[in-house]
Amino acid sequence: MNDRCSFWRESICESLSGPLPEERAKELERHVAECAACRRYAEALAGDDRLLVDFAEKTAPVVAEIERTVMEAIGEREPAGSRGHLGVRLWRVAAAAAIVGGLAAVLGRLLLPLGGPSVMLAQTLQNMREAPWVHVVQTLGAEEAQRYEYWERAGGDVLVQKRPDGRITYADYNENVMYAYNPVANRITVSFTTDSYRVAPLWDPLVALSKAIERTEPEQVQVMVRVDGGSGVRTERIETEYECEAGRVFATYIRDTGRNRLLREDTIVVGTEGESSYTTVYDYPEEGPGDLYDLGVPRDAAILDIRPEGAALDLIDAVQERFERGFGDHRAVVLESRVDPDGASHPGQIAVLWQKGEMKRCDVYRAFDSRRRANGVGSLYPVVKDVWGDLTIAEVLEIGDVNALTLRLLFDGQRTIRWRNEGGQLVQDEHRTDLFALPYGPLPHSLAGLIWSSPHLRLQSGSSQFKRELRLLPEDPNRPGLVGLQLVEFAARENCWFDPDRDYMLIERVRKEEGRGVTSRWAALRPAQASENRWYPELVRIESASLDDAVAGGVSARELRIQVDGNASFDDGVFGVEAQAATEAVDSNMPAEAESTAETEAEQVAADVGQDGTVRDAQGQAVEGATVLLYHRRNTRGLGNRVVETMQTGPAGQYVLRSPIRFERLVSHAYGQDTYVVLALHPDYAFGWRILRPGEEEGNYDVTLTAPRSRSILVTDHDGSPLPGARVWLYHAGDRSSANPVFRDSVSLPTDIGVLGAVADANGMALITNLPDTGCSFRATLDGYAQELAFSGQNHIRLSPGGSVAGWVLTESGEPVSGAVVRLKTGWMHNYFLAESDEQGHFALTGLPAEGWDMSPWGIQESGTGQYTMTVRHERHAGADRELHLLPGQRIDEMIVEVSSEATLVRCLVVDEATGQVVSGARIRGENAIGEIHGYSDANGVEPVRLILGSTENAIVLLEDEDGNTLVDRSICIRPKVADEIQWSAERVATTDSLGVLEVDGVVPGLTYFLRDAKFDEAGGRHPEGWEQWFKREMVLVPGER
Amino acid sequence: MDAETERALIASCQKGDKTAYGPLVRAHSGRIFALCLSMLGDRHDAEDMTQQTLLRGFMQVASLRHSQRFGTWIAQIARHACIDAIRRRKSQTVRPVANGSEGEAGVRNYRLLEAALGKLDAKYRTALLLFYFDGRNTRSIGETLGISQAAVQTRLSRGRQMLRGLLAAEDRGHE
């Protein structure tokens, strides 16, 4: 094979993906005919092609199955945010309701002696209902009409729906059974008809008509009545025209006056979104469909009965019975917190719940930190942020602010009135169902929904063809005493565990999705009792991972803290007009909220110019003479951390820090964010602290000093021999679950600031005083030893002999490079150490863990291996990574870290795909035949990737064509070929001289380059001459090792 | 399916017409399946993932602003879902799939093919599978992968060459 064959083999491959240019195809054919090797190659490739075709064809039926399954699943779902046809249909039905209502009113006016509009139409409706069967055909749209069909048996105990897509639902309420047919799956699903949660599972056209009668608004109707006896049936033709929410409505009704039944309705609605029309035809057969088969469902349709049986049904009934019975009279508060990945908890929402008899109320307030009125809604955050962990029911009732109200529900036993805050306005609507029984996300609207949920609701298939099933879970030894149900639905399983000993309270709910694993977990962490056998969860934790979260590896968590007063006495006004009147105050309170926003903005300005505050003791008394330090925590590893300012508090305990707060970066995650810490120290107290974070500036940082305590830490070597002189200093203090709020925002100090620690005595004991009564961890350092720590609760630190690495960062020419960050990353656990080179390029890292380093504080019996990866990072230079192995006591003092100034800088922005926020600290590293790249994104997500080029050489080659003719004065495109792929982006053009010599600089030795003619016409376009005439060749321009 | 029809179907879906999604599923399930098969390496996993992707696509179709890019958009959903699935796997070993309905020789050939595909660089494997599962249309592959048609051609040619080498090696190994 020669280069020519290589080219033709490329062409053979190309020919399998599409036709080649005619000339080239002919030439290929000639070559294959002549070249046995290429012929064999072509035959082999053709065989591969056939194999791939067969493979795809054999798998193709699976695609049909996919389509079937997806469409079946879709049949049960509504696209998020869509104005689906169901929505359109309801909208049209609403319009129809208004029409009928209006019609009734006018008829009433015309026929008032017969007893008023509602009575008249109600009589018509009653006559319709008394027919053995009512058959309704509703056709939406003039073109490509969609036809819905309904049958209803007298008394409404059988309802049948047939949809345009062929799906049919047959519900027999006497038998409590529902059959749903899906033509795509050719399957009948059998389920219960339960509607005990007061949500009608099937749309009933007569019920819709009945509701319309109630909504009669006579003044909006114009009507003309005409009698039409031409068909032999005495009918009334009633034409109406009026305005409704949907637009201008033109409707015509035909009523059989003899039998007092509606026969037909033709309606056109002209609205802002165009014109729509529908026709409804009523008829009254003596017999309706006896089953699905009467409606044309094939006899061979598969039957899927999802009704649970036996023990599963017993458990469902037990839980459902409690859900419907409810918790009884109560008043309750649910505090929803958002929990950060690091465990920090923040106010989220507050729900206040009331129930008395059948009457229920729920108020939901926004309580998260929003400096502005997001969507016009305020927040209780300023009021609750400092007392979030201690709020009581009475306090919540006291602070409830209608401006922060996002939702209010009132149920009077018959209907629910709902207010939703939309852009600062409370919008009211009304529902003939108990909305408290329906789930609304993690924050429950009723205790019953929180304690039991509704198995029927979960199982309810309504018109569903969606495979959904409830099964009994086997006993789980890890969940002793609990009984479980598993809900099975498309690609998801949800396990619910109930506690029979606690009145079947829900203890845990775990949802798994195929391909994703656990997507949410709901767990009742602390059961409590309001009175005997009235159990409820006092604390619930909810973890969920969205798709985007999962890609990013993150999980969001919430906690619900529930307080219940099961013996509360309250009057009915809670459920009546007073509650409604409160919502009307929302506008009148707006100016006050605007003022508070202005105050917040003023505070923001203050935060930029300096901090002040007061140091007080736990009783609120000012502490004079306390030392206040401002510590800039730039880096979790201590690089560049420093105490910025120190001062004393005045007689009133006040302090003012003059140093401006300048955060060096703003990152989306707390881990990489630099912060400031205000530390207050006084000999009579434990030290206190406040943390300043970007976006949370308050301008005033009061610090509370608490009673002091001491800790003794023993420092020894591996043999247990004390190590006098070791310095032990505070590394971390605080506990987010502490009962004392001042300790919840924990502080960590990566460097020894010299005031919070002690030196070990002759016995190796270090006594650290003035500590707060909360979890504290410590670090110990001693020359010759590696830094080590003691977690909270550990009083013994074993130091291991350490190592050190020092040297210089230099360019290839020996110039010192200052400001380079040298990073040593441990190979045995996630840990790293940083140093920055000085003006002379010098850097030093001491106290490094070496081989044999003690990992017992982490509960790990193995020792450190001493393996490190050293990387170097600099604004203008780049260097290759280096592996190190550090032995105990080893000192490396003269390491030369060479960086290249010849690197090519490429800047890119690293953003989180899901949120669009910049990502700092992202690492790009790799190498190929051209060079190596090394880089980290900085605080602003900008990643200056450095491409380190290896040594390159000038190449001088003589170019000849196939026939040995030199190529004189020819422009040649030169592209490197890396990993068998031509790098188009690295294309260069050079021209051969009068002797056919091509000279190219910057050539990587050993690398293959693809050369071809670079022919351009006068206008700069590609030369029209055929490709096959061009010079093309792959070659190594400079011999080398690659 | 022509672009105009596809745009109309998407508009219908966005208005909630579920039946309009059927033709879109038919038109795109092949490419999504090929994409998932390439990334997951297991036919059953790929089937499941294809179903999930298309279902998610319907649920999120209201958010699609440029209906002419449905193919690219749904492919992106598939890629994310597959990445998610791979992250959850302890290993990313490409698992060959046998087709039991074939004769012994056919099964062996498929196994060899799948083994070879599994060893192929992902970008070449994806291009090849899309080509054979999605109507041999390089323009459509380019849209799905967000690359030019010329780049698709290059990947297909490279993929074929490499696949040939791998199959030849497999053949030798079985001799």
Side-chain angles (χ1 to χ4, degrees):
Chain A
M1 188 180 82
N2 54 32
D3 283 350
R4 198 76 185 141
C5 285
S6 170
F7 169 75
W8 288 120
R9 290 184 177 194
E10 292 258 3
S11 296
I12 294 168
C13 290
E14 280 183 56
S15 71
L16 291 169
S17 307
L20 296 174
E22 193 177 341
E23 282 300 314
R24 191 162 150 220
K26 284 180 183 170
E27 203 171 332
L28 172 62
E29 201 174 316
R30 279 197 295 276
H31 176 81
V32 169
E34 293 166 0
C35 176
C38 286
R39 195 163 53 247
R40 282 195 299 276
Y41 190 73
E43 286 165 358
L45 278 181
D48 295 348
D49 182 61
R50 284 193 298 274
L51 186 60
L52 282 159
V53 169
D54 282 350
F55 174 68
E57 281 180 357
K58 291 294 182 294
T59 316
V62 173
V63 175
E65 176 68 14
I66 287 167
E67 180 191 334
R68 189 188 65 74
T69 312
V70 170
M71 292 310 293
E72 181 183 335
I74 281 171
E76 305 312 317
R77 299 195 179 191
E78 289 299 325
S82 78
R83 294 195 53 192
H85 79 267
L86 182 61
V88 172
R89 188 170 69 80
L90 291 175
W91 167 69
R92 288 170 178 164
V93 168
I99 292 165
V100 174
L103 164 69
V106 174
L107 287 175
R109 214 162 34 213
L110 293 171
L111 307 171
L112 204 56
L114 297 177
S118 297
V119 172
M120 188 281 301
L121 204 56
Q123 283 174 348
T124 301
L125 178 63
Q126 185 59 33
N127 280 343
M128 292 163 73
R129 284 191 188 284
E130 286 174 2
W133 285 85
V134 180
H135 176 220
V136 181
V137 179
Q138 195 166 62
T139 312
L140 306 181
E143 296 174 3
E144 297 180 9
Q146 290 190 304
R147 179 186 160 102
Y148 291 83
E149 239 178 311
Y150 307 89
W151 287 263
E152 180 170 341
R153 193 161 73 179
D157 60 343
V158 174
L159 274 176
V160 185
Q161 282 186 354
K162 188 172 183 182
R163 299 165 191 247
D165 59 7
R167 288 185 295 143
I168 306 172
T169 307
Y170 192 111
D172 186 332
Y173 289 87
N174 279 338
E175 300 294 329
N176 188 26
V177 61
M178 182 177 289
Y179 305 92
Y181 173 67
N182 185 326
V184 178
N186 193 29
R187 188 170 69 199
I188 298 168
T189 303
V190 188
S191 63
F192 293 128
T193 57
T194 179
D195 65 345
S196 53
Y197 47 90
R198 300 189 180 103
V199 179
L202 287 187
W203 187 77
D204 178 343
L206 298 189
V207 170
L209 192 59
S210 172
K211 289 175 182 173
I213 293 169
E214 291 181 26
R215 287 198 282 262
T216 300
E217 294 178 11
E219 65 278 7
Q220 293 182 336
V221 179
Q222 297 173 16
V223 67
M224 185 175 68
V225 179
R226 199 168 66 212
V227 177
D228 179 6
S231 62
V233 177
R234 183 176 175 78
T235 59
E236 287 179 344
R237 183 180 174 87
I238 307 153
E239 296 177 359
T240 67
E241 178 183 342
Y242 64 94
E243 294 285 338
C244 73
E245 285 180 9
R248 191 82 177 161
V249 181
F250 305 87
T252 302
Y253 290 86
I254 306 293
R255 188 166 76 108
D256 176 347
T257 54
R259 301 170 75 187
N260 194 14
R261 292 168 178 170
L262 287 182
L263 298 180
R264 182 183 170 96
E265 170 193 345
D266 292 289
T267 305
I268 299 171
V269 183
V270 182
T272 52
E273 298 187 11
E275 184 177 308
S276 62
S277 64
Y278 64 92
T279 300
T280 308
V281 176
Y282 301 88
D283 65 289
Y284 306 89
E286 288 299 313
E287 286 292 331
D291 53 34
L292 286 176
Y293 303 117
D294 286 351
L295 296 164
V297 170
R299 294 277 173 183
D300 66 352
I303 295 176
L304 175 67
D305 192 338
I306 63 170
R307 292 174 295 181
E309 294 178 328
L313 184 58
D314 293 343
L315 177 54
I316 290 168
D317 287 346
V319 176
Q320 185 71 25
E321 187 270 326
R322 284 159 176 82
F323 173 78
E324 290 174 17
R325 183 196 65 200
F327 189 76
D329 294 356
H330 65 268
R331 190 169 60 179
V333 164
V334 181
L335 301 169
E336 181 209 42
S337 302
R338 298 165 185 202
V339 184
D340 288 344
D342 64 1
S345 176
H346 310 283
Q349 297 184 87
I350 300 174
V352 190
L353 313 173
W354 295 264
Q355 180 166 4
K356 187 175 182 183
E358 283 219 295
M359 294 186 293
K360 301 174 197 173
R361 175 175 161 186
C362 166
D363 288 359
V364 179
Y365 296 96
R366 176 176 288 175
F368 55 79
D369 183 8
S370 59
R371 293 203 167 265
R372 294 181 182 155
R373 293 169 63 92
N375 301 322
V377 185
S379 172
L380 298 179
Y381 182 77
V383 186
V384 302
K385 64 183 170 69
D386 294 328
V387 290
W388 182 245
D390 305 309
L391 275 175
T392 62
I393 295 178
E395 286 168 342
V396 170
L397 292 172
E398 188 75 20
I399 61 174
D401 178 355
V402 73
N403 289 302
L405 188 70
T406 58
L407 179 75
R408 170 168 291 164
L409 299 175
L410 278 177
F411 181 66
D412 63 2
Q414 297 282 326
R415 65 188 70 196
T416 308
I417 304 173
R418 178 175 68 172
W419 290 265
R420 285 170 298 140
N421 198 324
E422 293 185 359
Q425 300 292 321
L426 286 172
V427 179
Q428 179 184 338
D429 55 20
E430 191 176 318
H431 301 261
R432 291 172 181 278
T433 55
D434 179 2
L435 291 187
F436 287 80
L438 298 176
Y440 264 88
L443 199 62
H445 294 160
S446 74
L447 276 185
L450 180 75
I451 299 169
W452 296 288
S453 80
S454 167
H456 280 185
L457 190 61
R458 306 309 308 275
L459 183 64
Q460 167 62 29
S461 59
S463 60
S464 173
Q465 289 293 303
F466 196 68
K467 186 179 176 185
R468 194 174 296 157
E469 194 178 347
L470 273 175
R471 303 171 179 156
L472 196 68
L473 283 165
E475 284 183 21
D476 184 345
N478 295 316
R479 295 175 174 85
L482 302 187
V483 288
L485 280 174
Q486 182 179 62
L487 175 73
V488 182
E489 56 184 12
F490 180 77
R493 303 278 186 277
E494 191 170 293
N495 290 357
C496 298
W497 294 94
F498 301 91
D499 187 348
D501 294 336
R502 293 189 173 103
D503 200 28
Y504 287 92
M505 171 181 157
L506 178 64
I507 301 295
E508 189 179 1
R509 184 166 62 218
V510 181
R511 183 177 177 84
K512 291 183 181 178
E513 291 185 15
E514 287 179 22
R516 293 184 60 196
V518 175
T519 55
S520 67
R521 184 186 299 277
W522 185 105
L525 300 181
R526 276 205 306 268
Q529 273 182 294
S531 58
E532 189 181 354
N533 211 29
R534 292 177 74 197
W535 291 90
Y536 67 94
E538 208 169 52
L539 182 66
V540 170
R541 184 173 172 89
I542 305 162
E543 295 173 345
S544 59
S546 69
L547 180 64
D548 292 335
D549 284 341
V551 170
V555 173
S556 62
R558 291 163 191 261
E559 276 183 1
L560 306 179
R561 279 185 291 131
I562 299 106
Q563 299 173 47
V564 177
D565 180 355
N567 301 306
S569 60
F570 42 85
D571 60 38
D572 293 351
V574 169
F575 307 100
V577 289
E578 287 178 21
Q580 298 180 34
T583 60
E584 292 163 6
V586 64
D587 287 336
S588 62
N589 284 344
M590 293 287 268
E593 180 64 24
E595 283 172 18
S596 71
T597 305
E599 285 171 10
T600 305
E601 287 170 359
E603 288 167 4
Q604 182 76 34
V605 173
D608 291 338
V609 297
Q611 314 304 320
D612 60 31
T614 305
V615 178
R616 294 189 176 91
D617 63 15
Q619 285 70 48
Q621 299 297 314
V623 177
E624 183 183 3
T627 301
V628 176
L629 289 81
L630 181 66
Y631 177 76
H632 187 193
R633 188 178 177 278
R634 291 181 67 224
N635 187 284
T636 55
R637 305 293 152 162
L639 186 66
N641 292 8
R642 66 190 181 100
V643 174
V644 177
E645 188 179 358
T646 305
M647 64 168 306
Q648 303 287 312
T649 56
Q654 80 280 12
Y655 71 88
V656 177
L657 294 170
R658 298 297 172 193
S659 303
I661 302 301
R662 295 278 184 264
F663 295 103
E664 292 186 351
R665 48 187 178 273
L666 296 172
V667 297
S668 51
H669 51 87
Y671 185 73
Q673 178 61 57
D674 66 321
T675 56
Y676 286 81
V677 181
V678 172
L679 286 161
L681 306 103
H682 190 279
D684 298 332
Y685 300 91
F687 77 93
W689 70 90
R690 292 293 301 274
I691 299 177
L692 286 62
R693 298 183 177 88
E696 298 177 12
E697 295 88 347
E698 295 179 19
N700 185 292
Y701 293 89
D702 292 350
V703 182
T704 302
L705 301 187
T706 54
R709 57 196 284 264
S710 302
R711 280 271 295 276
S712 290
I713 304 288
L714 172 66
V715 185
T716 70
D717 62 14
H718 276 206
D719 299 322
S721 301
L723 291 173
R727 166 79 179 166
V728 180
W729 44 275
L730 183 106
Y731 171 65
H732 184 273
D735 179 2
R736 66 185 169 85
S737 60
S738 171
N740 190 338
V742 303
F743 299 147
R744 287 183 193 150
D745 195 3
S746 60
V747 61
S748 67
L749 304 169
T751 53
D752 182 5
I753 59 172
V755 291
L756 292 169
V759 175
D761 62 16
N763 299 316
M765 295 297 291
L767 178 66
I768 303 108
T769 60
N770 299 92
L771 296 172
D773 188 12
T774 184
C776 293
S777 62
F778 301 89
R779 286 190 183 278
T781 48
L782 183 64
D783 275 351
Y785 289 87
Q787 195 178 98
E788 187 60 280
L789 62 73
F791 288 110
S792 181
Q794 295 172 338
N795 293 320
H796 183 191
I797 296 180
R798 292 198 327 156
L799 290 184
S800 313
S804 63
V805 177
W808 289 267
V809 182
L810 306 172
T811 66
E812 311 94 307
S813 57
E815 294 295 316
V817 175
S818 67
V821 175
V822 178
R823 181 178 188 267
L824 277 182
K825 164 84 172 67
T826 53
W828 63 91
M829 65 188 294
H830 178 72
N831 198 7
Y832 60 88
F833 302 88
L834 302 173
E836 192 167 353
S837 61
D838 61 17
E839 288 297 315
Q840 285 74 46
H842 189 259
F843 72 94
L845 287 155
T846 58
L848 294 169
E851 186 179 310
W853 184 63
D854 180 22
M855 294 167 72
S856 61
W858 286 268
I860 301 170
Q861 296 311 309
E862 290 89 350
S863 303
T865 63
Q867 293 289 345
Y868 287 89
T869 302
M870 174 186 271
T871 58
V872 63
R873 177 182 168 195
H874 188 264
E875 193 180 357
R876 296 183 305 280
H877 299 83
D881 288 2
R882 181 189 293 203
E883 299 298 320
L884 284 180
H885 182 207
L886 210 55
L887 297 170
Q890 185 178 2
R891 293 174 59 99
I892 302 173
D893 291 330
E894 295 185 348
M895 174 178 278
I896 303 297
V897 178
E898 191 176 289
V899 293
S900 171
S901 56
E902 294 296 324
T904 302
L905 181 67
V906 181
R907 287 188 186 277
C908 56
L909 185 66
V910 183
V911 296
D912 182 324
E913 191 179 21
T915 64
Q917 293 193 334
V918 297
V919 177
S920 64
R923 175 91 164 107
I924 290 185
R925 178 186 170 198
E927 61 179 297
N928 63 16
I930 290 183
E932 301 171 42
I933 56 171
H934 295 276
Y936 293 87
S937 62
D938 65 12
N940 299 314
V942 176
E943 181 137 10
V945 177
R946 294 202 174 272
L947 179 67
I948 308 166
L949 297 173
S951 63
T952 57
E953 296 182 18
N954 279 8
I956 299 174
V957 291
L958 178 68
L959 290 191
E960 295 177 341
D961 65 11
E962 293 286 321
D963 302 317
N965 303 314
T966 52
L967 303 178
V968 177
D969 296 330
R970 293 278 282 268
S971 289
I972 303 292
C973 284
I974 302 141
R975 297 165 183 155
K977 200 171 176 188
V978 179
D980 213 28
E981 187 135 81
I982 293 168
Q983 306 298 307
W984 302 85
S985 59
E987 178 184 284
R988 287 182 291 168
V989 177
T991 306
T992 56
D993 62 15
S994 57
L995 299 172
V997 172
L998 184 76
E999 184 168 359
V1000 193
D1001 62 3
V1003 172
V1004 179
L1007 190 67
T1008 302
Y1009 286 80
F1010 178 71
L1011 282 65
R1012 71 158 177 79
D1013 270 341
K1015 296 191 175 183
F1016 299 90
D1017 60 20
E1018 289 177 4
R1022 292 295 184 193
H1023 196 281
E1025 186 183 331
W1027 158 271
E1028 59 275 11
Q1029 303 300 321
W1030 291 19
F1031 168 81
K1032 295 178 277 294
R1033 184 166 301 169
E1034 283 184 9
M1035 59 193 300
V1036 174
L1037 297 176
V1038 175
E1041 294 176 359
R1042 291 176 194 269
Chain B
M1 177 183 297
D2 62 72
E4 197 57 40
T5 306
E6 184 165 289
R7 268 198 291 276
L9 287 169
I10 290 162
S12 296
C13 287
Q14 290 177 328
K15 289 174 185 166
D17 181 359
K18 295 170 180 173
T19 58
Y21 200 60
L24 292 171
V25 169
R26 273 195 294 283
H28 292 278
S29 54
R31 77 167 64 170
I32 298 305
F33 177 76
L35 205 57
C36 294
L37 183 62
S38 174
M39 293 182 74
L40 301 175
D42 179 273
R43 197 172 74 185
H44 300 296
D45 288 352
E47 282 174 30
D48 291 347
M49 197 55 75
T50 305
Q51 289 172 13
Q52 287 187 33
T53 296
L54 290 164
L55 187 56
R56 281 177 192 160
F58 177 75
M59 299 306 292
Q60 297 168 18
V61 74
S63 68
L64 180 60
R65 291 286 171 264
H66 304 287
S67 52
Q68 68 274 20
R69 294 182 185 165
F70 181 81
T72 311
W73 177 75
I74 195 81
Q76 189 70 6
I77 292 177
R79 266 196 291 273
H80 283 181
C82 288
I83 289 167
D84 192 43
I86 290 167
R87 283 167 59 94
R88 287 165 199 286
R89 278 189 192 164
K90 291 197 172 172
S91 77
Q92 298 183 20
T93 310
V94 175
R95 284 175 282 169
V97 186
N99 188 322
S101 64
E102 285 299 293
E104 198 176 319
V107 170
R108 181 171 168 270
N109 283 340
Y110 288 141
R111 284 184 179 152
L112 288 177
L113 175 65
E114 285 156 3
L117 284 169
K119 290 175 186 170
L120 211 55
D121 187 291
K123 64 183 174 186
Y124 302 127
R125 179 173 62 242
T126 304
L128 281 172
L129 289 177
L130 281 170
F131 185 78
Y132 287 98
F133 278 90
D134 193 26
R136 296 170 160 248
N137 184 335
T138 53
R139 187 182 60 78
S140 159
I141 298 172
E143 285 172 7
T144 304
L145 299 178
I147 59 176
S148 69
Q149 220 169 324
V152 173
Q153 287 282 10
T154 304
R155 288 190 188 185
L156 285 171
S157 292
R158 289 281 178 276
R160 288 181 197 286
Q161 289 177 4
M162 291 179 184
L163 187 67
R164 177 86 297 274
L166 289 163
L167 285 172
E170 292 281 353
D171 275 340
R172 283 195 295 275
H174 284 81
E175 282 169 359

